[in-house]
Amino acid sequence: MERINDSVLTEFVLVGLSAHPKLQTVFFVLVLWMYVIILLGNGVLISVIIYDFHLHTPMYFFLCNLSFLDICYTSSSVPLILDSFLTLRKKVSFPGCMGQMFLSFAMGATECVLLGMMALDRYVAICYPLRYSTIMTKGVYVPMAAGSWVTGLVDSMIQTSLAIQLPFCTNNVIHHFVCEILAVLKLACADISINVISMAGSNLIALVIPLLVILISYIFIVATILRIPSTEGKRKAFSTCSAHLTVVIIFYGTIFFMYAKPKAKTSTGTDNQDIIEALISLFYGVMTPMLNPLIYSLRNKDVKAAVKNMLSRKIF
C-alpha cells in the first residue's frame, strides 16, 4: 500500500453492502425495525425496574445496567449503519470514525464484564440463598456494576488511542458497516504489533476472564441445583438463572463464531468473507440487544407481573 504523503488521513469510506444494492434496502428496513424494538424493549424494561420497588434487587439492578448498555451500544453504531445503507460509499471523518469505534468497543467490553458480574450474583443467590441479602448489599453490587463500566471505558480508551497514532495508507476503504477496530487496523501501513499485543491483553481481561468466571460460577450453580431433593425446587432454582445463561450463550456464541472461523485465501473468498464478517457483526450488534429484554421478560414472572401492574395503574 502507498502511504499518504504530506497529508493526514481525514476520512474513511464504509463499503458495507454497497455491492449488493437490493440487500441494502432489505437490511435497512430490517435493522431500523430491530433498532426500534431495542429502544422500546430495553426502555420499557428499565422503566419497569425503576417503577416497581419489588424489583429493586441486585439482579434487576444489573439487568437495568445491561438494558441501558444495549441502548448505548446500538445507538453508537446503528444510525451509522442505517446511513451506510442509504449511501453507495458512506464517508466518515477520521475523528467521527475514532469516536464511534471508541463507544462501540467500550460498550462491548463493558457488557462482557457485566455478564461476568451477573453470573457471580446468580452464584451467590443459588449457592448461598440464606446469606444472599447480607453478601450482595448495595455497597457490593453497585461497585461491581461501576467496575464493569470503568473497565470497558478504560480498555476502549487504550485501544482507540493506540489506533489513532497509526499512520494510514491511501486505501481508506473499510469493508464494514461501521468503524470496527479490527477492520480499521487492517488499513494501517505500519507495524501493528503493539496493537495486536494490546488487543490480546484486552481479550484476556474483558473476554476470557469474565467467561471463566461465568463457567466456574455455573459449575457450582449446577452442582448446587442437582443436590436439591425436589423437582420443583430444582426448577425454581434453575429458572432464576436460565435467562442470564441464555443471554451468555447468544452473546459469546456469536463472538466465537465471528473470530474462530477459518480465513479465506483467495481474493474472491476474502471479499465474501468480509461480507459474512460484517453480517455476523451486524447480528452481534443488533440481534443480541433486541433479544435481551424479550428473554428476561418472557422467562421472568416478576417482570411480567410488574409490567401488568404498571400498565393497569396507567390505564385506571
Side-chain angles (χ1 to χ4, degrees):
M1 289 185 186
E2 181 185 351
R3 188 167 173 170
I4 297 176
N5 294 320
D6 303 324
S7 64
V8 178
L9 185 67
T10 59
E11 64 182 17
F12 290 101
V13 177
L14 300 175
V15 175
L17 291 174
S18 58
H20 307 272
K22 293 183 179 179
L23 283 179
Q24 281 189 309
T25 304
V26 174
F27 274 97
F28 175 83
V29 176
L30 182 62
V31 172
L32 178 61
W33 175 75
M34 293 168 72
Y35 183 50
V36 172
I37 293 178
I38 289 169
L39 296 179
L40 290 176
N42 287 285
V44 168
L45 195 55
I46 292 172
S47 300
V48 168
I49 293 173
I50 294 174
Y51 173 82
D52 196 322
F53 71 92
H54 293 102
L55 301 181
H56 292 180
T57 63
M59 183 179 78
Y60 293 108
F61 176 77
F62 286 123
L63 179 56
C64 189
N65 274 266
L66 182 64
S67 293
F68 180 68
L69 183 63
D70 284 337
I71 291 176
C72 293
Y73 180 73
T74 52
S75 297
S76 70
S77 58
V78 170
L80 186 60
I81 292 173
L82 292 173
D83 194 14
S84 69
F85 287 146
L86 298 176
T87 310
L88 183 61
R89 292 169 68 86
K90 172 63 181 175
K91 293 183 179 180
V92 184
S93 67
F94 185 87
C97 185
M98 293 297 112
Q100 183 269 312
M101 186 174 73
F102 167 78
L103 290 174
S104 295
F105 193 94
M107 297 303 105
T110 301
E111 184 158 354
C112 289
V113 180
L114 186 63
L115 288 174
M117 298 297 184
M118 294 173 75
L120 287 175
D121 172 68
R122 292 300 83 205
Y123 161 74
V124 177
I126 299 297
C127 299
Y128 303 97
L130 299 179
R131 298 172 55 194
Y132 179 71
S133 59
T134 58
I135 296 175
M136 294 300 294
T137 61
K138 192 172 183 179
V140 173
Y141 65 78
V142 171
M144 288 172 67
S148 301
W149 285 92
V150 171
T151 301
L153 290 171
V154 171
D155 187 13
S156 182
M157 189 178 298
I158 293 172
Q159 306 309 322
T160 305
S161 62
L162 289 175
I164 289 176
Q165 298 174 34
L166 290 173
F168 291 93
C169 303
T170 52
N171 179 16
N172 64 341
V173 178
I174 300 176
H175 293 277
H176 211 284
F177 302 109
V178 294
C179 295
E180 199 264 343
I181 188 166
L182 295 181
V184 172
L185 291 179
K186 289 179 181 179
L187 303 181
C189 50
D191 183 19
I192 59 171
S193 300
I194 295 178
N195 301 77
V196 172
I197 294 172
S198 180
M199 283 291 293
S202 170
N203 290 336
L204 177 64
I205 295 172
L207 195 64
V208 177
I209 292 178
L211 182 59
L212 288 176
V213 170
I214 293 170
L215 291 175
I216 294 171
S217 297
Y218 273 100
I219 289 174
F220 283 104
I221 288 172
V222 171
T224 301
I225 291 176
L226 292 177
R227 288 199 298 267
I228 299 175
S230 66
T231 303
E232 181 65 17
K234 290 179 180 178
R235 188 190 65 79
K236 287 183 178 180
F238 182 74
S239 65
T240 63
C241 56
S242 59
H244 174 260
L245 185 59
T246 304
V247 170
V248 167
I249 291 172
I250 294 173
F251 183 81
Y252 278 97
T254 308
I255 291 177
F256 285 123
F257 181 78
M258 184 163 50
Y259 293 110
K261 62 185 183 306
K263 303 294 182 182
K265 295 182 179 179
T266 63
S267 58
T268 305
T270 302
D271 292 339
N272 292 333
Q273 181 174 291
D274 288 336
I275 296 173
I276 293 172
E277 286 180 351
L279 291 175
I280 294 173
S281 178
L282 182 64
F283 174 88
Y284 163 75
V286 180
M287 185 66 74
T288 305
M290 184 187 75
L291 293 177
N292 285 352
L294 296 175
I295 292 170
Y296 275 101
S297 59
L298 294 176
R299 301 179 67 90
N300 193 300
K301 293 181 180 180
D302 294 334
V303 173
K304 287 190 285 187
V307 171
K308 290 180 181 178
N309 184 39
M310 187 176 70
L311 291 176
S312 63
R313 290 194 179 187
K314 286 187 177 295
I315 292 174
F316 298 105

